[in-house]
Amino acid sequence: MTRNHFQPSRRTVLGGALAALAVTGTGTAQAAPGAAAWPSEFPLPDGWLPEGITIGSRPYAYMGSRADGSIYRTDLRTGEGGVLHKGGTGLASIGLKLDGDGLLYVAGGAGGTAKVVDARSGELLTTYQLTRNAAPFVNDVVLHRDRAWFTDSRDAVLYGVPRGREGKVRALPLTGEWVQAPAGTNSANGLVATPDGRGLIVVNAGQLYTVGIRTGHATRVALVGATDVTNGDGLVRLGRTLYVVQNRLNKITVWDLDRTATTATLRGTITDPRFDVPTTAARFGNRLYLVNARFTSPQTPETTFNAVAVSL
């Protein structure tokens, strides 16, 4: 793995999922004993067509399939896994997030849906039809406050699904400085909450925007050190550090945010020879785990796929 040398801040490292993380005097994160021996690469089934990955407080990764909407679960300690939830013809599981109550919220892509799946049993609990548009693409999801918020890459709107309860879906039109990219381009994709918790950060057509969850007003984030985040896909935020997966560029750019996320300053870049169009990432301990979507390779039932881990 090559990178521009940077170290995560003490605040960032200590905010992680593993209570056993320690920080040395130089700021380098160290995992709990045994974690370093965990595999840093593990396979997915041939033809899986992955795009999303999520990890909760326990060492299990959940990865969706664009091929049929199935969900695969892997034990990070061993790299072994199996199909947790079986999809079906015409279905897709794109971005997904695991809630603390064991519910998976899953973006349904061209179906225009959001699914809720039990992460323990794999049972499909609920399907929300978010939009009746003729050509939607519900792409990614973040859990924030009382809702799971979903992007639609083909419409200037976010959808808020109630978390862990019954209720109506909230459609939040995007206004302000939002620029809707033409269909078929890399438009609204990954999203995370702002550091102050008052809004969301959304990557859209190579730029970052903050969105107020009460108004939908979008403000473009001023980038320092680069003009854009071309091919920006999945986002991971740890404190005021934002990781942007730039899929076809095979890199992760690392940004320092100010408190209100009005400015992002480029701090470093993570690359790895194992990257093959990584799309989204999830953090566990002092690692980021990414799925390789391999968009530049044949997308067939025989195509091999995997996930890889890089150190923070």
Side-chain angles (χ1 to χ4, degrees):
M1 179 176 68
T2 60
R3 65 176 72 201
N4 294 342
H5 294 290
F6 69 93
Q7 297 293 346
S9 68
R10 182 178 179 86
R11 178 187 66 250
T12 296
V13 173
L14 293 181
L18 287 179
L21 278 178
V23 181
T24 70
T26 61
T28 302
Q30 293 183 335
W38 294 1
S40 61
E41 183 174 347
F42 50 83
L44 289 166
D46 291 355
W48 188 254
L49 306 185
E51 185 158 343
I53 181 172
T54 185
I55 303 170
S57 61
R58 302 180 65 197
Y60 297 95
Y62 300 81
M63 294 152 285
S65 169
R66 290 180 287 115
D68 65 359
S70 295
I71 297 172
Y72 196 85
R73 179 173 62 193
T74 292
D75 188 328
L76 300 180
R77 296 165 296 187
T78 65
E80 298 178 353
V83 176
L84 170 73
H85 167 75
K86 184 64 177 175
T89 302
L91 300 178
S93 292
I94 313 299
L96 66 169
K97 289 294 184 297
L98 176 63
D99 211 341
D101 57 5
L103 299 181
L104 283 164
Y105 292 83
V106 186
T113 62
K115 298 183 294 186
V116 183
V117 174
D118 189 316
R120 302 175 184 88
S121 67
E123 177 186 1
L124 175 63
L125 302 177
T126 310
T127 299
Y128 292 92
Q129 188 66 48
L130 302 182
T131 175
R132 297 291 181 182
N133 287 351
F137 194 82
V138 179
N139 198 329
D140 211 345
V141 55
V142 66
L143 306 178
H144 184 53
R145 297 184 179 175
D146 63 340
R147 292 184 182 270
W149 289 98
F150 292 81
T151 52
D152 185 339
S153 293
R154 295 175 181 166
D155 200 1
V157 62
L158 300 180
Y159 297 101
V161 169
R163 291 171 64 180
R165 58 183 175 82
E166 296 296 327
K168 293 184 178 180
V169 173
R170 180 187 174 197
L172 183 66
L174 299 171
T175 61
E177 298 178 7
W178 186 266
V179 177
Q180 183 63 24
T185 59
N186 199 21
S187 50
N189 205 323
L191 68 172
V192 293
T194 57
D196 62 9
R198 296 182 179 180
L200 303 174
I201 302 171
V202 184
V203 61
N204 169 51
Q207 296 296 328
L208 298 172
Y209 293 82
T210 58
V211 176
I213 55 177
R214 289 190 300 173
T215 65
H217 187 276
T219 302
R220 185 165 156 177
V221 177
L223 302 180
V224 178
T227 58
D228 56 43
V229 285
T230 300
N231 297 134
D233 201 324
L235 303 181
V236 174
R237 183 183 62 79
L238 305 177
R240 293 190 189 175
T241 300
L242 181 69
Y243 298 85
V244 181
V245 182
Q246 295 180 243
N247 54 35
R248 292 175 186 264
L249 300 184
N250 287 314
K251 68 179 183 180
I252 306 166
T253 46
V254 187
W255 302 80
D256 287 328
L257 300 170
D258 62 2
R259 183 179 61 83
T260 57
T262 55
T263 300
T265 302
L266 183 64
R267 175 152 57 100
T269 300
I270 301 173
T271 61
D272 191 288
R274 298 169 301 159
F275 287 174
D276 194 349
V277 194
T279 44
T280 56
R283 186 269 189 103
F284 193 84
N286 62 348
R287 286 178 169 183
L288 279 181
Y289 289 83
L290 306 95
V291 289
N292 280 318
R294 306 196 68 193
F295 289 146
T296 56
S297 300
Q299 305 283 284
T300 72
E302 292 75 37
T303 303
T304 58
F305 292 97
N306 69 349
V308 300
V310 294
S311 298
L312 295 179

